[in-house]
């Protein structure tokens, strides 16, 4: 079992989740059960899967949860881009978050590569 609280990707994903929750507050009320709900679910999925995977006994299981977390980050990126496409959020508001997501994706990918060497 690993201590997920020591993983930088987990710490960064928690910060991102908090920031995204604030950002989605700017979306229209009629998106409350649409994009807002979906965006919040997937951003919460990122640190949650890192934490859950760290409790697994095998590196292979941990790897699978990291991959799920990475997938959620790409889902989040897509949803923010769609918000821009639909003019629900201004590009200036999402740019910093999109950059943070891309950096987190690189870091999760690096951790995945490292874990693969441990299998």
């Amino acid at each position: 079992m690993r201590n997920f609280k020591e993983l930088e990707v987990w710490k960064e994903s928690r910060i991102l989740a908090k920031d995204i929750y604030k950002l989605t507050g700017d979306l229209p009320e009629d998106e409350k059960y649409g994009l807002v709900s979906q965006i919040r679910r997937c951003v919460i999925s990122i640190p949650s899967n890192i934490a859950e995977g760290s409790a697994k006994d095998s590196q292979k299981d941990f790897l699978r949860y990291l991959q799920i977390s990475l997938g959620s980050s790409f889902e989040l990126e897509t949803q923010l881009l769609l918000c821009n496409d639909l003019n629900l959020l201004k590009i200036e508001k999402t740019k910093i978050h999109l950059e943070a997501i891309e950096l987190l994706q690189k870091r999760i990918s690096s951790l995945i590569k490292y874990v693969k060497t441990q299998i």
Side-chain angles (χ1 to χ4, degrees):
M1 186 166 74
R2 297 149 207 84
N3 185 352
F4 65 90
K5 294 175 191 171
E6 293 178 2
L7 294 172
E8 289 301 315
V9 292
W10 180 80
K11 293 175 188 176
E12 290 172 21
S13 63
R14 279 186 61 219
I15 292 167
L16 178 65
K18 182 181 77 169
D19 292 344
I20 294 296
Y21 257 72
K22 290 177 184 176
L23 179 69
T24 55
D26 293 339
L27 287 168
E29 182 66 27
D30 64 341
E31 284 298 333
K32 182 177 180 180
Y33 300 106
L35 276 171
V36 172
S37 176
Q38 186 65 27
I39 289 169
R40 288 180 174 181
R41 279 195 313 270
C42 77
V43 77
I44 289 299
S45 175
I46 300 169
S48 298
N49 277 294
I50 293 169
E52 186 175 356
S54 70
K56 302 300 178 181
D57 289 333
S58 74
Q59 291 289 80
K60 190 173 183 181
D61 287 336
F62 182 42
L63 174 65
R64 179 70 186 124
Y65 281 87
L66 289 174
Q67 291 167 331
I68 292 168
S69 180
L70 182 61
S72 293
S73 74
F74 280 98
E75 180 182 356
L76 175 62
E77 181 181 12
T78 298
Q79 291 162 358
L80 290 184
L81 290 169
L82 285 169
C83 286
N84 288 338
D85 294 344
L86 296 168
N87 295 315
L88 297 174
L89 292 170
K90 295 187 182 204
I91 293 172
E92 302 82 42
K93 280 194 145 191
T94 58
K95 184 178 179 189
I96 192 164
H97 300 295
L98 289 167
E99 290 170 356
I101 292 165
E102 289 176 18
L103 182 59
L104 183 60
Q105 289 166 344
K106 289 175 184 175
R107 291 187 173 157
I108 294 171
S109 293
S110 292
L111 182 56
I112 287 170
K113 287 178 187 174
Y114 172 75
V115 171
K116 284 181 177 179
T117 67
Q118 305 298 305
I119 297 176

